[in-house]
Amino acid sequence: MSMPATAWWTPVALSADVPPRMVIPATLPVGPIAVWRSQSGQVTANHDRCPHRGMRLSHGFVRGEKLSCIYHGWSFGKEGGCTAIPAHPKVTPPASIHCGVMPTVEQDGLIWVASAQPDTAPPVFDQYQPLRMLNFCACIDRIKTVCDASSRDPATDTYVTATLAGFVTRLIVTPLNETETNVFILVSPDLSTDQKIAISRAAEVLRNLCERPSPEGQQT
Amino acid sequence: MSFPMQDEWYPVAMLSDLHRQGRDTLLLGQPIHAARDPNGIPIVTTQNGQHLVTIERFGHLWTSLGTPRKDLFSIPEADQPGRTLVDVGVVRVKCSPLRAVENFLDIAHFPFVHTDILGAEPHTEVENYQVEIREDSDEVWATKVKFFQPQAAKSAEGGITTDYMYRVPLPTCSVLYKTCPPRPAEWDVICLFVQPLTEELCDVWPWMALFDDETPLTDMIHFQQLIFLQDRSILENQLPRRLPLDPGMEVPTRADMTSVAYRRWLKRHNFTYGAQLVAK
Amino acid sequence: MTEQDHLEDVFTIEGTLNHSCFVPWIKRHAQKLGLRTQFISINNDTIDLNVYGPPDLVDALEMGCLLGPIEVWVQELKRVSTSATTAGPNA
């Protein structure tokens, strides 16, 4: 699978959602990826496809510092090179057999991935902390309309401001395609658990609102 | 418009489950109806009322959209007295019918997909075996295949090195012969009969002919269903969806020799329904 | 670290080979396997090449070449070992 290079950072998951020795599927606008954290805590993102016979690596397992494919156990290191082929234990696989690692940065509780190395670091959000990620079956313009586009940060255009449960939150909106958008909810620090739960529920209400057809009868 | 795979045999129903009402299904994308007529005889008809050729064998009803070039294959072991014949029941899989067959021919996945049932780490090495396309029967055969297994069959205790043979007699069928613990001179036979509904959807009909007087039938069925459901989670998550005939985006190794022979056989016969011709 | 013998095999590939697409295909596949190749002769009926590398990876190149691109039909692939170490299996 070839991915056209996109030289900007896309948030794909909360750090808290990928504990050590876990692999999860995620989506970049250009295609599916596997995101995993090694035993030592390092995060890696690669194409969600094993070079052997095309099995999704996000269904695999993490042992130590390696990601293994669930189908035949082929293992890959953090640079993406194949390190073991269990059917042929005597082989030292060449690094040219690899699963395509992508630039990854973990910052302020979010995991960011790009298809090619960007020139800058991912944006920062002062002290706002990620609460959760939701997948909206709505296009990005619809979400911005519902949240009132004028509340976008004009300087960076990296997030939308929304008031949820009475609290100001920042939403990073990442389009996956024309009909689906990932929304990362960032909240100010020092909130109580009850307050976070209230914001989380309000975010789900926002999602329902965005996914419902607009008053004109069409979802924009 | 006809294509080579239209003239082959395919399973479309389980005989013990076929009644007057029958079942509406698809074969190579074409709607068909399989049922029993007023005399109890199984028939298969197309949407415009055409009757298709049929054969009843191995507990299933077989048909073809065209004119098969030969009789449906036989399995002499299945006719041996004392065999338990097991209809496992249909499982629908969202994958190419050719991928379902290729997975069934593979043993390197046993320690990872069927962990502690058909294989276990560290016994992951696949030793060399033999593969040929038998010209007289025009079938793919893999022989002298062996693999160490902790619990190879419901009738096995502990772990044994199991001998295998694999056979592909039709584009969407595979027959597996494996060591039979109660009768070491005989083979247990496990078949996968795959009905291609579309290029990316199939109904899989597993069937077995075993020497096993002790295991209850339902346990045998559950065992095989468990194995197959584990395979299904692989089959529905492979890319590309269709079976590549050009391995340019893959890395087949010697352990994949049966798969390579199967793909060569498909390519030679132009059996490409469910196949990916250009590597992607 | 496993010690590996290195093979030097000659592959003789025969069939309907469409060499203009098969040769680049073989080069790409060999590169992916970390193998060195040296083509000796090329035409649409026969391709001869030297292959250098660890035995199991040379076997993997054979597996790939038995299929190749859709435009190519390989009737037979013969291997002859020219190294002092063990020859690979014939398919």
Side-chain angles (χ1 to χ4, degrees), chain A residues 1 49 52 54 63 71 86, chain B residues 103 121 124 239 249 256 280:
Chain A
M1 172 174 64
R49 176 168 170 166
H52 178 210
R63 262 186 210 154
Y71 200 177
Chain B
N103 171 261
E121 293 174 275
T124 59
L239 298 168
M249 295 286 291
D256 301 314
K280 76 165 196 179

Side-chain angles (χ1 to χ4, degrees), chain B:
Chain B
M1 184 168 53
S2 96
F3 51 95
M5 271 174 79
Q6 280 188 327
D7 291 317
E8 300 296 309
W9 289 105
Y10 301 95
V12 293
M14 203 160 75
L15 291 167
S16 59
D17 203 25
L18 186 65
H19 310 293
R20 285 298 311 280
Q21 195 185 359
R23 75 188 290 256
D24 285 318
T25 184
L26 290 174
L27 181 57
L28 301 169
Q30 302 263 22
I32 57 167
H33 182 75
R36 288 188 187 272
D37 73 6
N39 298 318
I41 297 175
I43 52 170
V44 180
T45 48
T46 62
Q47 264 186 334
N48 56 18
Q50 180 198 354
H51 282 235
L52 301 178
V53 288
T54 58
I55 285 183
E56 298 168 66
R57 196 172 295 177
F58 313 130
H60 290 77
L61 178 63
W62 300 75
T63 192
S64 175
L65 289 176
T67 311
R69 52 205 168 106
K70 47 185 181 171
D71 187 20
L72 184 64
F73 63 96
S74 61
I75 306 175
E77 291 82 357
D79 297 326
Q80 285 174 309
R83 288 265 179 188
T84 304
L85 307 181
V86 186
D87 301 335
V88 176
V90 69
V91 182
R92 179 155 296 183
V93 190
K94 283 191 217 127
C95 75
S96 156
L98 308 180
R99 280 228 185 259
V101 171
E102 183 186 63
N103 171 261
F104 193 69
L105 301 172
D106 177 77
I107 58 169
H109 71 278
F110 285 178
F112 301 99
V113 179
H114 309 301
T115 311
D116 296 334
I117 307 175
L118 298 184
E121 293 174 275
H123 310 283
T124 59
E125 182 165 12
V126 175
E127 293 176 48
N128 198 20
Y129 54 90
Q130 289 189 354
V131 175
E132 58 176 332
I133 294 178
R134 294 188 181 171
E135 297 299 331
D136 51 352
S137 53
D138 191 22
E139 298 182 353
V140 181
W141 279 83
T143 56
K144 300 194 169 67
V145 186
K146 42 188 187 300
F147 208 71
F148 179 80
Q149 302 182 308
Q151 184 201 335
K154 252 335 190 162
S155 59
E157 285 182 8
I160 52 173
T161 294
T162 301
D163 291 323
Y164 282 92
M165 293 193 300
Y166 285 93
R167 171 187 175 195
V168 178
L170 288 171
T172 67
C173 281
S174 181
V175 183
L176 180 164
Y177 302 81
K178 65 193 296 190
T179 308
C180 172
R183 298 207 198 182
E186 304 286 354
W187 298 98
D188 272 341
V189 180
I190 301 170
C191 304
L192 216 71
F193 305 143
V194 181
Q195 176 185 351
L197 302 175
T198 71
E199 292 200 76
E200 297 182 11
L201 186 70
C202 54
D203 274 348
V204 175
W205 307 88
W207 186 78
M208 306 191 282
L210 313 172
F211 278 124
D212 184 344
D213 295 326
E214 295 187 6
T215 309
L217 197 66
T218 46
D219 284 4
M220 288 188 210
I221 291 173
H222 287 159
F223 183 76
Q224 216 52 47
Q225 282 176 337
L226 167 66
I227 303 290
F228 192 69
L229 291 175
Q230 289 173 337
D231 285 318
R232 183 166 72 171
S233 66
I234 300 290
L235 289 170
E236 295 188 341
N237 288 284
Q238 266 184 294
L239 298 168
R241 290 208 150 298
R242 301 185 187 186
L243 183 74
L245 294 188
D246 170 350
M249 295 286 291
E250 299 173 304
V251 184
T253 69
R254 200 187 62 229
D256 301 314
M257 237 190 342
T258 317
S259 148
V260 170
Y262 173 56
R263 293 184 189 192
R264 276 175 59 78
W265 184 80
L266 291 172
K267 187 172 171 177
R268 187 169 83 177
H269 286 295
N270 212 16
F271 290 153
T272 56
Y273 191 86
Q276 179 70 38
L277 302 187
V278 176
K280 76 165 196 179

